[in-house]
């Protein structure tokens, strides 16, 4: 049964009267940045760049966290490990290209000088970065080669850009907490937590309190693009600890409570564009298991909005990162258990990854989008000049075809080939928009394809669009600071979004 439509202020007031938190048992995208799950929408090591990541435990309890790195085509995993955070701990890492550290290989790796416990232990990682004592671990291609081939690239270059997720698996009690707690900056005994049984009674349901940040830095160019990790709160009320499988825990394991029959459910709380608080419930842990839809719901966007600046007079250029953090659960043949290149994608997506179909193909899972550009004075291009430029062959004129997409705004002469990398982040996951003006803004319509609608919640809520996150990265180049001196000024701005949710003929509530 649907709940009454309550504004945020009314919900907050009722919660205060009742002495409860209004979203204590629901998946939500926490606007304050604290949560159980952290999503970092982009990492890259292209063209001398490195990506710095950090996670902070603000809680007075120790935590076990799964750290997972996912490549940008189909979000196949390239590395994961378990991280154990002491109360009030900070963990940091640096993703870099092997070649930039004078190591052999075309891929990427993660290095860290942090002392927090990991499993596997850092003395079992690949080695130490040359000229230092810092351990590093190389990213792997096992998940998309051999029997795991998915029609995308198979080389190690595929590991060079993607996205990251951190999932709280459990809080630690007793001797487990003592083992990871730092004394003089060093954990007491990491070996205690490196072979924990998932049934250990000292593993308790994870609480909130994590926040994180990422930064893409190019030391030689002097650019630094920084962002806050997206924080999902209320993700789980049960222990999700695993050291046996790289695929668990996953974003598809959200669980927030039970319905009246004892069936596990995953509830999502989403703020509608009109300010209403929408509650959507999904079956979890049984058949069907639609728990991933609760996570997707908090990212569902009918439109993304942001600016661009490609003014040659100030040396500016712009990239947009658009990441679909849950897409693999709807398009990857391994999750869907369908034949490679065969159909079977789940809404709101249309094609499985690599599906042999018009508008798709190897290494792709295309979603048609609408592109509405404006300059700063309300001007807009004619319809026939809109779309990606040059148009990609055998695809819709405006389609985002990967899990991580980087949209560049480069003026490509008519008849010239499409760019092979973006203008700011040097991404190979690039789609280009011919900018209408030197400065302006873009409305990316994710609901342009009528097929982009979510599966219905238990109560019948249906969201239009796609589950997306990301940011605008803009760089300004000043070649005239003084003779022989060049300066870069970089900025990053999170996308804004609108949402559309319907329940039959009514607005969701």
């Amino acid at each position: 049964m649907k709940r009454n439509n309550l504004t945020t202020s009314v919900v907050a007031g009722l919660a205060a009267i009742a002495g409860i938190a209004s979203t204590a048992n629901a998946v939500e995208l926490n606007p304050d940045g604290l949560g159980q799950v952290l999503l970092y929408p982009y990492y890259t090591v292209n063209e001398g760049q490195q990506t710095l990541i950090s996670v902070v435990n603000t809680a007075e309890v120790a935590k076990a966290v799964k750290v997972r790195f996912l490549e940008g085509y189909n979000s196949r995993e390239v590395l994961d490990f378990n991280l154990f955070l002491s109360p009030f701990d900070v963990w940091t890492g640096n993703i870099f290209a092997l070649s930039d550290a004078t190591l052999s290989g075309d891929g990427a790796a993660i290095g860290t000088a942090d002392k927090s416990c990991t499993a596997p232990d850092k003395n079992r990682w690949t080695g130490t970065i040359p000229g230092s004592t810092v351990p590093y671990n190389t990213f792997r291609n096992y998940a998309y080669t051999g029997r795991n081939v998915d029609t995308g690239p198979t080389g190690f270059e595929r590991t060079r850009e993607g996205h990251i997720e951190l999932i709280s698996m459990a809080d630690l009690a007793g001797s487990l907490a003592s083992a990871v707690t730092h004394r003089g900056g060093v954990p007491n005994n990491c070996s205690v937590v490196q072979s924990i049984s998932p049934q250990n009674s000292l593993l308790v349901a994870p609480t909130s309190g994590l926040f994180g940040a990422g930064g893409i830095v190019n030391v030689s160019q002097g650019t630094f693009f920084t962002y806050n990790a997206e924080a999902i709160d209320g993700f789980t009320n049960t222990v999700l600890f695993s050291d046996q499988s790289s695929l668990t825990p996953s974003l598809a394991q959200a669980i927030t409570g039970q319905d009246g029959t004892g069936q596990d459910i995953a509830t999502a709380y989403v703020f509608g564009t009109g300010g209403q608080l929408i509650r959507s419930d999904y079956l979890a842990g049984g058949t069907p298991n639609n728990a991933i839809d609760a996570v997707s719901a908090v990212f569902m966007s009918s439109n993304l909005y942001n600016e661009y600046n490609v003014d040659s007079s100030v040396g500016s250029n712009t990239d947009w990162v658009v990441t679909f953090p849950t897409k693999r659960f709807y398009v990857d043949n391994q999750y869907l258990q369908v034949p490679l290149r065969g159909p079977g994608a789940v809404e709101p997506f249309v094609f499985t990854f690599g599906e042999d179909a018009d508008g798709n193909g190897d290494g792709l899972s295309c979603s048609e989008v609408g592109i509405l550009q404006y300059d700063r004075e309300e001007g807009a291009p004619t319809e026939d000049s809109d779309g990606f430029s040059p148009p990609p062959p055998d695809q819709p004129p405006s389609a985002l075809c990967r899990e991580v997409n980087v949209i560049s705004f480069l003026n490509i002469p008519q008849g010239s080939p499409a760019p092979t990398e973006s203008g700011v982040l040097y991404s190979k996951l690039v789609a280009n928009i011919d900018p209408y003006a030197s400065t302006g803004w873009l409305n990316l319509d994710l609901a342009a394809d009528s097929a982009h609608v979510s599966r219905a919640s238990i109560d019948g809520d249906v969201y239009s669009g796609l589950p997306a996150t990301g940011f605008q990265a803009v760089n300004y180049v000043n070649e005239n600071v003084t003779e022989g001196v060049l300066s870069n000024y970089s900025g990053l701005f999170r996308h804004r979004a609108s949402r559309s949710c319907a329940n039959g003929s009514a607005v969701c509530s």
Side-chain angles (χ1 to χ4, degrees), residues 300 346-349 449-456 462-466:
M300 284 295 287
V346 175
E347 56 268 73
F349 294 95
D449 188 331
S450 60
H452 294 169
V453 292
S454 70
R455 290 183 289 197
V462 175
Y463 294 86
S464 296
L466 296 170

Side-chain angles (χ1 to χ4, degrees), residues 344-359:
V346 175
E347 56 268 73
F349 294 95
V350 177
F351 297 110
T352 58
F353 188 79
E355 182 174 340
D356 184 10
D358 290 343

Side-chain angles (χ1 to χ4, degrees), residues 23 44 53 58 116 125 143 163 209 212 254 256 314 329 342 378 454 476 493 502 505:
T23 58
T44 182
I53 62 170
T58 68
S116 297
W125 286 19
H163 59 119
T256 59
V314 294
F329 298 100
E378 305 158 30
S454 70
Y476 298 84
F493 306 90
S505 60

Side-chain angles (χ1 to χ4, degrees), residues 301-381:
S301 302
S302 56
N303 302 79
L304 294 180
Y305 309 98
N306 219 324
E307 297 180 69
Y308 67 86
N309 195 317
V310 289
D311 187 349
S312 59
S313 68
V314 294
S316 61
N317 212 334
T318 301
D319 281 354
W320 275 31
V321 172
V322 178
T323 298
F324 302 126
T326 61
K327 181 178 178 180
R328 64 190 184 276
F329 298 100
Y330 301 90
V331 306
D332 191 322
N333 70 293
Q334 287 190 341
Y335 286 104
L336 300 173
Q337 297 185 336
V338 300
L340 187 63
R341 292 189 175 88
V346 175
E347 56 268 73
F349 294 95
V350 177
F351 297 110
T352 58
F353 188 79
E355 182 174 340
D356 184 10
D358 290 343
N360 206 63
D362 285 356
L364 305 171
S365 172
C366 292
S367 298
E368 190 169 353
V369 298
I371 296 173
L372 304 173
Q373 287 192 70
Y374 300 89
D375 63 19
R376 290 180 173 176
E377 305 299 335
E378 305 158 30

